[in-house]
Amino acid sequence: MGYMFNYLVPWRQQIPILTGSHKKRERLTFAEGDFAAVYAMSDVHGCYSELVEAHRRIEADAERIPGPKLILLLGDYVDRGPDSSAVLEFLSKPPPPGFQRLALCGNHDAELVKLYRKPTRLLEWLGFAGTETLNSYGIDIEHLLQSAAGHEMIARVIHNMIPKRHIQFLESLPIMVQMGRVVFVHAGIRPGIDLKRQKDSDLMWIRQPFLDEGPQLPFLVIHGHTPARIPTFGPQRIGIDTAVSATGRLTVLTIKGTRVGLL
């Protein structure tokens, strides 16, 4: 692939525990060599069983790899699949022994936070996300709407049924990880724009011109957001959203030393 990684810097830091914030999301930087292996996946979309199975595969693969290892998720944990609540509960708990785990924010995650904080956006949100996430929390939103429940009642139901810790978890998520010459984001980056000047909205939502042009910066970008049946390899980018809610395939990309592969 032409990308070489010079892992010389020893492990020296723990991933920070982030607090919920409505401000610009955190962007994290690690040195090449901070992790002996990185396992990245994206767009879980409520597919809890596939997420657990991916962790099983990762743990089995990493058994003989000494040193710190990172599980990195690139966003969109909710909507589409049947078990968004279980996915968030799973990711809110500690990672497997011997691993750090870091989850980035996707556009669907940010939109769920907005719904929770401002339920008057319900109809707009339903047009974007559907009912699966609310159903996973035991909320029959179709029944509520048919019963002509007002916004205040629906807001109370949403606040009562969705644990606040799940929303705080989503609010805490960073939006970018840079690891040497590799950048991990949910959707992509605005081509040719310095990383420090990238908007959160671009990192969570962009498709074109990123998909055709790539980053136009000296980085390899690993991203999700744009689904395909198999991983996609574009100009200085690898897309790993393989539409698990439709295909049953949750792709795991690996970085081990100088090698980029698929698990």
Side-chain angles (χ1 to χ4, degrees):
M1 293 176 56
Y3 293 98
M4 302 295 290
F5 307 96
N6 182 24
Y7 286 115
L8 298 176
V9 181
W11 170 251
R12 69 187 191 286
Q13 66 185 63
Q14 295 291 317
I15 293 173
I17 297 175
L18 304 173
T19 58
S21 173
H22 301 288
K23 299 179 181 179
K24 188 175 181 179
R25 290 183 179 270
E26 191 79 17
R27 292 132 192 256
L28 304 179
T29 300
F30 297 95
E32 296 176 353
D34 275 353
F35 299 99
V38 177
Y39 297 87
M41 67 187 91
S42 191
D43 295 82
V44 176
H45 277 306
C47 294
Y48 171 73
S49 297
E50 290 83 353
L51 176 63
V52 172
E53 171 61 18
H55 276 68
R56 186 201 64 76
R57 288 156 47 206
I58 289 168
E59 290 185 73
D61 184 78
E63 281 184 352
R64 298 183 181 181
I65 301 176
K69 295 168 281 286
L70 175 66
I71 298 173
L72 181 54
L73 297 103
L74 307 186
D76 278 7
Y77 312 110
V78 300
D79 301 336
R80 296 182 182 161
D83 295 317
S84 293
S85 60
V87 167
L88 293 184
E89 187 67 20
F90 180 87
L91 294 178
S92 298
K93 294 180 178 179
F99 288 86
Q100 298 287 321
R101 185 169 60 211
L102 180 59
L104 302 185
C105 188
N107 58 316
H108 282 258
D109 312 312
E111 290 300 307
L112 179 60
V113 171
K114 290 180 182 178
L115 172 70
Y116 186 89
R117 297 300 183 191
K118 189 177 289 188
T120 54
R121 299 180 65 253
L122 176 66
L123 294 180
E124 177 186 350
W125 182 85
L126 285 173
F128 166 72
T131 63
E132 296 88 357
T133 294
L134 297 181
N135 289 342
S136 77
Y137 287 101
I139 301 171
D140 188 344
I141 192 61
E142 294 178 350
H143 173 75
L144 288 174
L145 291 173
Q146 290 172 1
S147 66
H151 284 300
E152 290 186 4
M153 177 182 290
I154 291 175
R156 285 198 299 271
V157 171
I158 290 174
H159 286 166
N160 288 337
M161 299 298 287
I162 299 180
K164 189 175 181 180
R165 69 179 184 277
H166 285 186
I167 299 302
Q168 291 173 329
F169 170 75
L170 293 177
E171 287 179 329
S172 77
L173 301 182
I175 201 160
M176 176 192 293
V177 166
Q178 181 181 348
M179 197 173 296
R181 288 169 286 170
V182 182
V183 173
F184 300 88
V185 291
H186 175 63
I189 68 175
R190 182 67 58 183
I193 303 298
D194 186 85
L195 292 181
K196 294 179 180 179
R197 296 174 53 209
Q198 297 281 339
K199 296 179 180 179
D200 284 5
S201 57
D202 284 334
L203 301 178
M204 288 191 293
W205 289 90
I206 196 170
R207 286 197 169 102
Q208 297 298 355
F210 168 74
L211 295 178
D212 285 345
E213 299 179 9
Q216 296 189 7
L217 295 170
F219 298 105
L220 171 65
V221 177
I222 312 297
H223 66 94
H225 184 57
T226 300
R229 294 190 64 82
I230 59 175
T232 57
F233 298 83
Q236 292 176 262
R237 69 170 186 86
I238 303 176
I240 58 172
D241 175 6
T242 45
V244 61
S245 63
T247 66
R249 292 192 297 272
L250 184 57
T251 290
V252 178
L253 178 140
T254 64
I255 298 178
K256 303 171 184 175
T258 61
R259 297 184 178 183
V260 177
L262 298 172
L263 182 60

